[in-house]
């Protein structure tokens, strides 16, 4: 995971564009870009808040390649397989 340090105006569109370029993000539409910016800004504010509350933390919190995902996307994509919506598996013994 890549942690990126803030450059330019904190939380600005310019900072978001620099982050997006650094992690190779390209968005299909302006609507998607604005939605991703909102998620990224929430992540950015979380990072800044944590750093202010824990300046001597023995670990670093920062922006990474998942910073423009919603909390729901992170849960779905990073926490493993979720079966739902009527899907079912039927296990059958071999032989």
């Amino acid at each position: 995971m890549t942690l990126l340090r803030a450059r330019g105006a904190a939380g600005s569109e310019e900072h978001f564009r620099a982050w997006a370029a650094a992690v190779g993000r390209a968005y299909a539409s302006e609507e998607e870009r604005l939605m991703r910016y909102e998620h990224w800004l929430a992540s950015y504010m979380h990072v800044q808040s944590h750093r202010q509350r824990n300046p001597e933390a023995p670990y670093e919190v920062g922006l990474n390649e998942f910073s423009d995902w919603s909390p729901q996307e992170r849960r779905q994509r990073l926490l493993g397989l979720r079966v739902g919506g009527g899907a079912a598996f039927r296990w059958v013994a071999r032989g």
Side-chain angles (χ1 to χ4, degrees), residues 36-89:
R36 296 298 176 185
Y37 174 66
E38 288 179 15
H39 294 312
W40 177 88
L41 190 56
S43 296
Y44 178 85
M45 298 304 290
H46 171 77
V47 167
Q48 294 307 310
S49 174
H50 182 276
R51 288 178 179 174
Q52 288 176 351
R53 288 179 289 134
N54 304 288
E56 302 299 322
Y59 54 88
E60 185 174 345
V61 174
L63 300 173
N64 61 30
E65 63 267 32
F66 310 118
S67 295
D68 66 341
W69 291 3
S70 70
Q72 181 181 4
E73 283 178 297
R74 284 192 286 272
R75 282 191 299 274
Q76 289 174 341
R77 294 181 183 191
L78 300 176
L79 297 180
L81 175 66
R82 299 288 187 252
V83 178
F89 288 94

